[in-house]
Amino acid sequence: MNCDVAMCGSYGVVAVVARNSEATILGIWCKKFNIQSPTTGEAFAIRCALELARINRRTKIICEGDCLHVISALQMKKEPHWSILPIIEDSLLIAKSFSSCFFSWVPRKFNVMAHSVAQWARRNGYLTTDHWINFPSNISLNLMNRCSLSSPY
């Protein structure tokens, strides 16, 4: 599960890209949220990815994000800032529902698809606060062709 947020004033657009171990896209979702800071948005993006994985009945997941502060807090390597503590605690609670759940920091160049989806949705107004938008396969393929899906692993 790759995730990212694109900020725009008082809201952020969270994007989540689910892929399997062969990098095949299983789903791309985005949603608009009232988020006040990029760090809060990044933490919330991870929480959203966990919820979407649970809803889609995944049992083993890796959540990847490009905000080192958030990932370090989820890996319990660093104390989270007080402003994201409730989101981190909630995410760790959700993570316990999976048989396997890892959090991994990736450089932006390896998170480009989630980053591009969030930016594109924000820029084009392809979003809502009411429900998650699951991108149609033709948009997913177009985004995949425009983004590098290289992996650091």
Side-chain angles (χ1 to χ4, degrees):
M1 304 291 280
N2 291 90
C3 49
D4 205 2
V5 65
M7 298 300 297
C8 186
S10 64
Y11 72 88
V13 178
V14 168
V16 177
V17 177
R19 295 184 286 167
N20 65 14
S21 58
E22 288 82 38
T24 302
I25 296 173
L26 304 175
I28 298 176
W29 299 271
C30 67
K31 188 173 178 180
K32 177 181 168 182
F33 291 95
N34 293 323
I35 300 170
Q36 300 303 315
S37 76
T39 302
T40 301
E42 294 282 355
F44 200 68
I46 293 282
R47 184 186 177 283
C48 291
L50 291 165
E51 285 204 6
L52 285 166
R54 185 170 59 181
I55 289 167
N56 287 284
R57 297 189 173 127
R58 304 288 175 232
T59 57
K60 299 177 182 179
I61 65 166
I62 299 172
C63 284
E64 297 179 331
D66 56 26
C67 182
L68 185 57
H69 181 73
V70 170
I71 297 298
S72 294
L74 288 162
Q75 293 172 336
M76 295 188 249
K77 293 180 178 177
K78 184 177 180 181
E79 187 69 27
H81 188 268
W82 65 268
S83 63
I84 63 169
L85 182 60
I87 302 169
I88 297 297
E89 289 174 341
D90 197 32
S91 296
L92 291 172
L93 188 63
I94 296 168
K96 290 180 181 179
S97 67
F98 301 101
S99 62
S100 175
C101 180
F102 296 98
F103 300 101
S104 179
W105 174 80
V106 292
R108 165 115 355 121
K109 68 181 179 179
F110 296 121
N111 202 34
V112 69
M113 187 150 190
H115 177 76
S116 296
V117 168
Q119 294 290 334
W120 182 84
R122 179 188 55 83
R123 206 171 33 252
N124 292 292
Y126 192 71
L127 46 95
T128 178
T129 57
D130 297 333
H131 59 277
W132 285 97
I133 295 173
N134 190 356
F135 279 75
S137 58
N138 62 331
I139 293 175
S140 299
L141 289 173
N142 187 21
L143 284 167
M144 184 174 66
N145 289 333
R146 292 167 58 193
C147 300
S148 168
L149 287 180
S150 55
S151 172
Y153 307 108

